[in-house]
Amino acid sequence: MAATEAARDWLADYHRLLARHRLDPTTVLTDAVDQTAPQRPALLSLAQILEQPDRLHHQLTSEHPDSTEPRLRRARMSVLHQSLALQVIAPAVIRLFRDGVGTALDPERIFLCQPEADGGCRWREVAGSPDRLKPGRFIESLAHQVQTWYPVFRQSFSISPGAYWSSTGLALGAPYSAVWDRVTPSDLCPQASGWLQQFDCEAGKYIDWISARFNQHPCALPQRRGCCLKYLLPDEGYCGTCGVYRKERMTTVI
């Protein structure tokens, strides 16, 4: 089966999955896309960061002087990458599932914005080419991009493979996370795991979709096999998908 046809089947399967649970895919996915991109001044484009990594090092140190300490610098870089994945990649995948077509991400049009005290969204994407990609082409394009970005984040920013690919995997699975507690886990988990395998990258190896119960309600949880290190930062804690102390955490959910 051609890649495009296979991708279309995945999108159709998702829509059928939601329909069986009396959910409207368009409504669910529209609600899941963050419509409030930050309007704060842009600092650097992703293209500039990829071409001149030192510019991001300088920016991070100006924002957080304690980032001269290697452990904290690595944690802040890892969290910044996680924000990029969830605030740029995830909405792109959600729009693909909603609209049936997607657009390629352009590093020239993705910007890191000035921070706010509330730690809100740091990244925004400026609309570019109106060209639309069919599902199979979108999958190929996005997989190639995250593969291309990886060496910079790994070598220049010391982000571990587990952190990079698990954050990427969470973003790629965003349409399924949107219904984590609204669809039967036995139906959602296999489909969400299979979707990640469509991407020619390591993301699928670093995310497990597991069945659990939360407040006596069945749900499906994405669990990462890599840590974003957010818990190392002042006044921060463990993410809901964190694999650190996984067994202890899961006993409070299951």
Side-chain angles (χ1 to χ4, degrees):
M1 182 179 293
T4 300
E5 294 173 347
R8 286 174 180 164
D9 282 348
W10 281 101
L11 271 59
D13 286 346
Y14 178 85
H15 282 245
R16 285 192 289 266
L17 175 65
L18 268 61
R20 290 200 300 272
H21 291 78
R22 298 182 180 179
L23 297 172
D24 176 58
T26 300
T27 300
V28 168
L29 296 171
T30 297
D31 290 344
V33 177
D34 184 7
Q35 304 290 341
T36 57
Q39 299 303 311
R40 301 185 300 279
L43 299 171
L44 296 167
S45 71
L46 178 58
Q48 291 173 316
I49 291 171
L50 295 172
E51 293 169 3
Q52 299 175 291
D54 283 347
R55 297 186 66 170
L56 182 57
H57 281 295
H58 177 76
Q59 178 61 36
L60 194 66
T61 301
S62 68
E63 294 177 10
H64 304 283
D66 62 1
S67 293
T68 53
E69 199 279 309
R71 195 162 178 250
L72 285 177
R73 175 181 290 271
R74 184 183 182 192
R76 294 194 189 282
M77 288 292 188
S78 182
V79 170
L80 203 58
H81 168 260
Q82 179 176 246
S83 298
L84 170 65
L86 298 180
Q87 294 166 8
V88 174
I89 297 176
V93 178
I94 290 172
R95 288 191 292 268
L96 171 74
F97 272 64
R98 183 190 63 187
D99 304 334
V101 292
T103 55
L105 297 180
D106 181 357
E108 295 281 358
R109 295 179 176 275
I110 298 171
F111 295 93
L112 176 70
C113 300
Q114 286 186 351
E116 282 192 341
D118 61 2
C121 186
R122 289 297 307 267
W123 299 88
R124 64 181 170 93
E125 181 184 11
V126 178
S129 170
D131 293 341
R132 296 292 184 263
L133 302 179
K134 293 181 178 180
R137 185 69 189 93
F138 175 88
I139 290 173
E140 293 172 358
S141 173
L142 186 51
H144 175 72
Q145 286 178 311
V146 296
Q147 289 273 35
T148 301
W149 302 347
Y150 172 68
V152 178
F153 283 93
R154 176 72 182 117
Q155 298 166 14
S156 298
F157 304 134
S158 301
I159 297 175
S160 72
Y164 182 90
W165 290 117
S166 59
S167 291
T168 301
L170 287 178
L172 298 180
Y176 296 94
S177 295
V179 291
W180 70 280
D181 60 344
R182 304 171 70 183
V183 171
T184 304
S186 59
D187 293 331
L188 189 151
C189 291
Q191 194 175 130
S193 297
W195 166 249
L196 289 180
Q197 301 309 316
Q198 305 309 299
F199 291 84
D200 184 19
C201 67
E202 298 294 304
K205 298 180 180 179
Y206 287 93
I207 294 290
D208 295 319
W209 277 89
I210 59 176
S211 299
R213 297 188 70 85
F214 187 72
N215 291 335
Q216 304 305 312
H217 180 71
C219 59
L221 299 177
Q223 289 285 288
R224 42 194 306 162
R225 289 180 175 270
C227 182
C228 70
L229 304 181
K230 183 179 180 180
Y231 75 97
L232 293 175
L233 302 181
D235 302 321
E236 298 288 358
Y238 295 105
C239 300
T241 57
C242 186
V244 176
Y245 302 125
R246 175 172 173 169
K247 291 182 179 180
E248 292 87 340
R249 291 176 58 253
M250 291 307 297
T251 59
T252 67
V253 176
I254 298 177

